Amino acid sequence: MSDCIFCKIIRKEIPARIIYEDDEVLAFDDIRPQAPVHTLIIPRKHLASLKEIGQEEASLLGRILIRAAEIARLKGIDHSGYRVVVNTGPDSGQEVFHIHFHVLGGRRLGWPPG
Ligand code: AMP
Ligand code: ZN
């Protein structure tokens, strides 16, 4: 997707603080952090949102969640706790239509979310 901002980060056309990457996913810090730790994990494959996900993506999504746990360990929030969020569609406030998993932590997170 030529005009997708996260695809541009994958292609290194725009900078990001990348903290992990492999042949399948990329993780980078959110540009507007909502918590002391706020990292986004994205698949290299452009998928717009959870709404577009099918059975063929089941193992990819599973591996992304495992990566989320690894990133939480890397960031030192695995013991204090964290939240993994996938905003989907208008009511969630989804802004970027390349599926991404927010990993948030480093402070007490409110519930219910705003
Ligand atoms: P969402 O509302 O779930 O679509 O979240 C999109 C997230 O992407 C927001 O938290 C933004 O701050 C973040 N974001 C947008 N552009 C960039 C960028 N260039 N680098 C890092 N994070 C970004
Ligand atoms: Zn994309």
Side-chain angles (χ1 to χ4, degrees), residues 46-58:
H46 181 93
L47 299 159
S49 81
L50 208 50
K51 206 155 64 80
E52 281 75 27
I53 294 292
Q55 276 302 323
E56 62 277 17
E57 318 297 350

Side-chain angles (χ1 to χ4, degrees), residues 5-6 9 14-16 28-32 38 40 87 92-96 100 102:
I5 189 164
F6 286 176
I9 289 176
I14 58 172
F28 52 94
D29 288 332
D30 197 292
I31 205 166
R32 283 180 279 131
H38 188 173
L40 303 175
N87 290 323
S92 75
Q94 183 181 5
E95 285 175 2
V96 178
H100 49 282
H102 297 256

Side-chain angles (χ1 to χ4, degrees), residues 1-10 14 96:
M1 289 283 281
S2 58
D3 58 347
C4 167
I5 189 164
F6 286 176
C7 284
K8 286 182 181 169
I9 289 176
I10 289 166
I14 58 172
V96 178

Side-chain angles (χ1 to χ4, degrees), residues 66-86:
I66 293 167
R67 293 282 175 248
E70 287 170 359
I71 282 158
R73 266 198 299 280
L74 202 73
K75 292 276 188 178
I77 55 168
D78 50 327
H79 293 298
S80 51
Y82 55 93
R83 189 171 292 162
V84 180
V85 175
V86 185

Side-chain angles (χ1 to χ4, degrees), residues 15-33:
R17 193 182 300 160
I18 294 171
I19 61 155
Y20 175 84
E21 64 180 312
D22 60 27
D23 56 353
E24 185 170 60
V25 305
L26 196 74
F28 52 94
D29 288 332
D30 197 292
I31 205 166
R32 283 180 279 131

